[in-house]
């Protein structure tokens, strides 16, 4: 890894190493597996929050109503 790669990894919080092509374009990122799992969990959490916000104005259904809605599809 050259000095440019070390400087660039500071821009990417989870990156331990950047693998570049001969033109210097980043092609791959090496990261700690536990950090990778934390990143995945954060993305899933964000997706859940966005999904919850999308339906927050909807009226909740009880179990029978939910089944009836599913049967319509």
């Amino acid at each position: 890894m050259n000095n440019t790669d070390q400087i660039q990894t500071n821009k990417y919080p989870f990156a331990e190493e950047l693998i570049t092509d001969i033109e210097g374009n980043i092609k791959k990122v090496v990261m700690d597996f536990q950090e990778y799992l934390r990143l995945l969990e954060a993305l899933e959490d964000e997706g859940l929050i966005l999904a919850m916000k999308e339906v927050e104005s909807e009226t909740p259904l009880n179990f029978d109503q939910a089944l009836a809605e599913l049967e319509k599809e």
Side-chain angles (χ1 to χ4, degrees):
M1 182 165 65
N2 65 35
N3 192 30
T4 304
D5 290 338
Q6 289 176 336
I7 293 168
Q8 287 181 332
T9 57
N10 294 334
K11 296 179 184 177
Y12 305 98
F14 297 102
E16 291 182 1
E17 182 179 349
L18 301 174
I19 300 173
T20 60
D21 60 16
I22 54 176
E23 285 117 21
N25 300 311
I26 300 170
K27 295 297 180 181
K28 296 182 182 186
V29 175
V30 177
M31 63 188 302
D32 177 78
F33 184 67
Q34 291 304 316
E35 291 296 319
Y36 171 76
L37 293 176
R38 274 189 40 216
L39 182 59
L40 282 181
E41 186 175 339
L43 290 170
E44 290 169 352
D45 289 348
E46 182 180 3
L48 178 58
I49 290 168
L50 292 173
M52 290 170 63
K53 284 183 177 185
E54 191 174 306
V55 297
E56 70 185 349
S57 64
E58 293 183 12
T59 305
L61 303 175
N62 66 35
F63 183 73
D64 292 330
Q65 291 170 324
L67 285 178
E69 285 296 317
L70 288 173
E71 289 176 3
K72 288 181 186 178
E73 295 178 8

